[in-house]
C-alpha cells in the first residue's frame, strides 16, 4: 500500500511540474503585455512630432531629420549605410576647388556647398537580415555599372563647371602667367625693339626723304604718324605689360558681369522683409555669376538624374521631401572637410552621424513609400542603369556648347597675354607702314578675341538660363528635356560660331574656306598637274583662274604645229581660243584631273577641237608675204549678203 501511494504521489508531482512548465510563460507574459502600451505611449507622440511637411523638408531638412525616431540597434547591426565622400574625391572631384562663397554665410547652391561629392549608387539593406528580400548577387554588377555612369556624368559636369569658373574670372586662371608676361615683354623690348628699332627708324627716315622728292606729303605724313603711333604703343605696353593685360581682362569681365546680372543666372538674395534669419548676411547671395551658373548646371544635370536612380523619380513627393537629406548623408560639405582636415580625430564621429542620418531617413522612406525604398536598396538595378545612361547623355549634350564657349573665352584671355609679349617683336618691323602686315594681323586677332569673349560669354549665360528653364519645367518629359538642351546648344553654336568673325577680321573669305574644306584632294592633284606642266620646257603654259576653275592656255607653240599662212594661223588661233573659252571651264575643271573623282553631270573627257567657219568675212591682212615663183593671191570674192525672208522684213 505504501509503495503504491508513493508511486501515485510521484506521478502527481511530475504532472504538476509539467503543467507549471507549460503554463508559466503564458501567465508570466501577462504583466509585460499589459505594461507594453504604457511603455510604447511616447512613440506615437514622437512620430507625430517628427512628421514634417514637404515645404519644411525643403526649407530645413536637418531640423526635420532630428525629429525622426532613432533607429534601433537591431537595424544598425543588419544594414550598412554608405560612407560619405569629400567634395574633391573621385574623378569629378579632380576638377573641383573650394569657392570663396562656401565659407561665407548666405545663399548657397549644391555645387557651392558640396562640390562634386556624393554622386554614386550603392546597395543598402541587401543581405536579408532585416526581414528584407535578398538581392540577387548578379544585380550588384548592374549597380556597379550604374555607379560608373553617374560618376562619369559628374566628371563631365565638373569639368564644365571648372572651365566656366576660370573663363569668367581670368584672374584665377592666369595669375601664374603675370611673371612670364612681365619678364618676357621687358626682355624682348630691351633686346629686340630697343636695338633693331633704331635701324627701322633709319629706314623710315630714308623712306620719308625719298617720298619728299616726289612731293607726296600725304603719304609721308601717314608714314611718320604710323611710326610714332607704333613706337608710343609698344613703349607703353613694355612699361606696363601686366597692367595692360589686366585692364583688358577687367573691362571684359565687367561687361560679362553686367550681362550675367541681366540675363542669368541671377542673384538669389532674399529681401530683408522676408528674411527670417537673425543675421542679415545669411540672406545675401555672395556667389559670383560663374558659381551661380555651376550651381544651376549641377542641380539640373546631376542631382535630378541621381534622384531618378536613388528614389525612382526626381519630382515625386518622396524625392522632394527626403532627397536632399539622403544626399547630405552621403556627402561632406567643404566646411566639414576643412574641420576634419584640421582635427582628424573627429572624422569617425562625423561619419557615424552621417550614417545615422541615412538610416533614419531610409527607415522613414520604407514606411511611406516602399517602391522608392526598392530603388534605394538597389533592387531596381536595370532602372538605375537607365538613369545613369540618361545622366551621361544629358551631361555630354550640355557640355558640347558650354565647354566650347568656355574654351573660346579662355583662349581669348590667353591671346591678350601673348599679344603683349609679341607686340615689341612685331612692332620692330611694324614701324615701317608698308611692312606692318604682321602687326595689323596681331591687332585683328586681338579684336577678334574681344568679340569672341563678349559674344560667347553672353551666349553661355543665355544657354544656361534656357537649360534651367527646360530642366525645371515638370510638364516636359525627361527625354524631351535632354533633346531640348541639345537643340539649344546646336542653335547657339550655329548663331555664334567664331570662324566668321576671326576670318573676316583677318581678311579672308569665310565662304571660300567652307566651300573648299572637303576638296583638299582635288586641290592637291591640281597643284601636282600644274607643277608638272610648268616643269616641261617644251610646254610652257599660262595658268589662270577664272570663275574658281583652272584654265590653262598654251603660249609657246611648237614649230611643227604652226601654220605657214599667217591668215590661217591667226584664224586658227582665234578659233582655238574661242573653243577653249567655251569649253575650258567645263573641260579643265579640277574634278576631271587624273586621280580625282569627276563631278556628276560633267564629261570626264576633253572634247576634240573642231574647225568652224567664221561668221564674218576674213579681212585682207595689212602685210604682204613675198614668195618666189608664186603668183599673187587673187582677191577674195565678196561675201554674199545673207538672204532675208519676206516675212522677217
Amino acid at each position: 500500500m505504501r509503495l503504491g501511494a508513493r508511486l501515485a504521489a510521484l506521478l502527481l508531482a511530475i504532472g504538476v511540474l509539467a503543467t507549471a512548465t507549460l503554463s508559466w510563460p503564458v501567465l508570466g507574459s501577462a504583466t509585460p503585455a499589459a505594461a507594453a502600451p504604457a511603455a510604447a505611449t511616447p512613440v506615437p507622440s514622437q512620430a507625430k512630432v517628427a512628421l514634417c511637411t514637404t515645404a519644411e523638408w525643403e526649407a530645413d531638412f536637418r531640423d526635420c531629420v532630428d525629429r525622426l525616431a532613432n533607429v534601433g540597434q537591431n537595424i544598425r547591426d543588419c544594414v550598412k549605410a554608405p560612407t560619405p565622400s569629400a567634395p574633391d574625391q573621385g574623378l569629378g572631384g579632380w576638377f573641383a576647388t573650394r569657392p570663396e562663397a562656401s565659407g561665407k554665410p548666405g545663399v548657397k547652391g549644391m555645387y557651392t556647398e558640396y562640390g562634386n561629392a556624393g554622386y554614386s549608387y550603392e546597395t543598402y539593406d541587401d543581405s536579408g537580415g532585416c526581414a528584407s528580400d535578398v538581392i540577387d548577387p548578379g544585380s550588384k554588377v548592374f549597380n556597379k555599372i550604374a555607379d560608373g555612369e553617374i560618376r562619369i556624368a559628374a566628371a563631365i559636369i565638373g569639368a564644365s563647371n571648372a572651365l566656366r569658373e576660370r573663363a569668367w574670372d581670368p584672374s584665377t586662371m592666369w595669375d601664374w602667367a603675370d611673371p612670364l608676361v612681365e619678364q618676357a615683354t621687358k626682355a624682348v623690348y630691351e633686346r629686340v625693339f630697343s636695338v633693331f628699332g633704331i635701324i627701322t627708324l633709319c629706314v623710315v627716315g630714308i623712306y620719308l626723304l625719298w617720298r619728299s622728292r616726289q612731293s607726296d606729303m600725304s603719304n609721308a605724313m601717314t608714314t611718320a604718324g604710323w611710326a610714332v603711333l607704333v613706337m608710343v604703343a609698344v613703349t607703353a605696353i613694355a612699361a606696363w605689360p601686366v597692367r595692360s593685360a589686366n585692364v583688358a581682362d577687367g573691362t571684359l569681365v565687367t561687361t560679362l558681369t553686367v550681362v550675367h546680372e541681366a540675363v542669368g543666372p541671377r542673384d538669389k538674395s532674399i529681401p530683408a522683409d522676408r528674411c527670417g534669419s537673425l543675421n542679415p548676411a545669411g540672406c545675401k547671395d555672395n556667389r559670383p555669376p560663374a558659381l551661380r551658373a555651376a550651381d544651376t548646371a549641377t542641380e539640373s544635370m546631376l542631382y535630378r538624374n541621381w534622384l531618378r536612380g536613388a528614389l525612382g523619380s526626381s519630382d515625386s513627393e518622396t524625392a522632394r521631401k527626403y532627397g536632399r537629406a539622403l544626399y547630405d548623408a552621403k556627402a561632406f560639405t567643404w566646411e566639414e572637410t576643412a574641420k576634419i582636415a584640421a582635427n582628424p580625430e573627429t572624422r569617425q564621429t562625423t561619419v557615424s552621424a552621417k550614417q545615422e542620418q541615412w538610416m533614419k531617413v531610409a527607415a522613414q522612406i520604407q514606411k511611406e513609400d516602399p517602391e522608392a525604398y526598392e530603388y534605394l536598396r538597389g533592387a531596381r538595378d536595370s532602372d538605375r542603369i537607365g538613369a545613369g545612361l540618361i545622366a551621361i547623355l544629358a551631361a555630354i549634350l550640355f557640355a558640347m556648347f558650354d565647354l566650347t564657349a568656355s574654351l573660346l573665352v579662355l583662349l581669348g584671355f590667353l591671346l591678350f597675354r601673348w599679344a603683349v609679349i609679341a607686340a615689341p617683336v612685331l612692332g620692330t618691323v611694324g614701324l615701317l607702314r608698308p611692312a606692318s602686315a604682321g602687326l595689323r594681323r596681331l591687332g585683328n586677332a586681338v579684336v577678334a578675341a574681344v568679340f569672341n569673349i563678349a559674344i560667347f560669354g553672353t551666349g553661355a549665360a543665355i544657354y544656361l538660363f534656357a537649360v534651367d528653364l527646360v530642366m525645371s519645367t515638370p510638364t516636359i518629359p525627361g527625354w524631351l528635356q535632354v533633346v531640348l538642351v541639345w537643340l539649344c546648344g546646336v542653335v547657339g553654336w550655329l548663331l555664334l560660331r567664331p570662324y566668321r568673325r576671326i576670318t573676316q577680321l583677318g581678311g579672308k573669305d569665310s565662304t571660300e574656306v567652307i566651300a573648299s574644306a572637303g576638296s583638299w584632294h582635288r586641290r592637291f592633284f591640281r597643284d601636282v598637274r600644274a607643277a608638272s606642266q610648268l616643269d616641261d620646257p617644251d610646254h610652257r603654259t599660262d595658268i589662270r583662274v577664272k570663275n574658281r576653275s583652272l584654265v590653262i592656255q598654251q603660249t609657246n607653240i611648237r614649230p611643227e604645229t604652226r601654220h605657214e599662212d599667217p591668215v590661217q594661223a591667226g584664224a586658227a588661233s582665234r578659233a582655238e581660243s574661242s573653243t577653249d573659252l567655251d569649253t575650258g571651264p567645263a573641260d579643265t575643271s579640277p574634278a576631271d584631273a587624273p586621280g580625282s573623282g569627276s563631278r556628276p553631270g560633267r564629261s570626264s573627257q576633253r572634247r576634240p577641237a573642231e574647225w568652224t567657219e567664221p561668221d564674218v568675212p576674213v579681212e585682207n591682212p595689212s602685210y604682204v608675204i613675198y614668195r618666189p615663183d608664186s603668183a599673187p593671191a587673187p582677191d577674195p570674192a565678196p561675201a554674199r549678203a545673207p538672204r532675208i525672208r519676206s516675212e522677217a522684213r
Side-chain angles (χ1 to χ4, degrees), residues 497 499-500 503 509-519 523 548:
R497 48 186 174 178
Y499 73 86
R500 292 184 179 275
T503 54
D509 186 8
S510 60
T511 58
E512 179 71 19
V513 175
I514 300 171
S516 61
S519 60
R523 289 184 279 117
R548 295 184 181 176

Side-chain angles (χ1 to χ4, degrees), residues 391-610:
I392 290 181
L393 184 62
I396 292 175
L397 295 180
F398 167 78
M400 288 175 63
F401 178 80
D402 191 66
L403 278 174
T404 305
S406 299
L407 285 174
L408 288 173
V409 173
L410 280 176
L411 288 176
F413 285 114
L414 178 61
L415 193 142
F416 290 160
R417 285 150 178 82
W418 280 108
V420 170
I421 298 175
V425 178
L426 298 178
T428 303
V429 183
L431 287 171
L432 187 61
R433 191 170 65 91
S436 61
L439 190 61
R440 292 181 180 180
R441 282 196 298 268
L442 180 64
N444 289 336
V446 171
V447 174
V450 171
F451 277 97
N452 284 325
I453 291 173
I455 291 173
F456 276 92
T458 305
I462 297 174
Y463 178 68
L464 284 170
F465 182 67
V467 169
D468 187 23
L469 289 179
V470 170
M471 299 301 294
S472 61
T473 304
T475 57
I476 302 177
W479 66 270
L480 188 56
Q481 289 178 347
V482 176
V483 173
L484 288 176
V485 168
W486 174 65
L487 289 178
C488 290
V490 170
V491 172
W493 177 252
L494 291 177
L495 294 177
L496 306 178
R497 48 186 174 178
Y499 73 86
R500 292 184 179 275
R501 291 160 186 84
I502 291 177
T503 54
Q504 285 177 1
L505 290 174
K508 298 180 181 179
D509 186 8
S510 60
T511 58
E512 179 71 19
V513 175
I514 300 171
S516 61
S519 60
W520 62 270
H521 57 284
R522 291 195 295 269
R523 289 184 279 117
F524 172 76
F525 285 112
R526 182 189 66 190
D527 296 340
V528 170
R529 184 178 63 179
S532 63
Q533 293 176 352
L534 288 173
D535 292 339
D536 189 357
D538 296 333
H539 295 80
R540 297 181 181 176
T541 55
D542 183 16
I543 302 175
R544 299 178 182 177
V545 178
K546 184 178 182 181
N547 296 329
R548 295 184 181 176
S549 61
L550 190 65
V551 179
I552 303 176
Q553 297 180 358
Q554 189 170 0
T555 58
N556 188 11
I557 304 175
R558 293 183 178 181
E560 59 270 17
T561 60
R562 297 175 181 173
H563 296 277
E564 294 295 337
D565 190 356
V567 178
Q568 297 178 359
S573 62
R574 287 194 300 270
E576 290 177 0
S577 62
S578 62
T579 305
D580 291 339
L581 290 177
D582 294 337
T583 61
D587 297 337
T588 60
S589 175
D592 299 334
S596 62
S598 59
R599 298 181 180 177
R602 291 189 177 183
S603 176
S604 60
Q605 298 180 356
R606 174 184 285 274
R607 292 182 296 177
E610 298 179 356

Side-chain angles (χ1 to χ4, degrees), residues 62 85-87 113-115 117 328 331-338 354:
R62 290 184 174 87
S85 59
E113 193 170 1
Y114 298 95
D328 178 76
F332 287 122
T333 63
W334 287 107
E335 185 176 357
E336 291 171 345
T337 304
K354 293 276 186 179

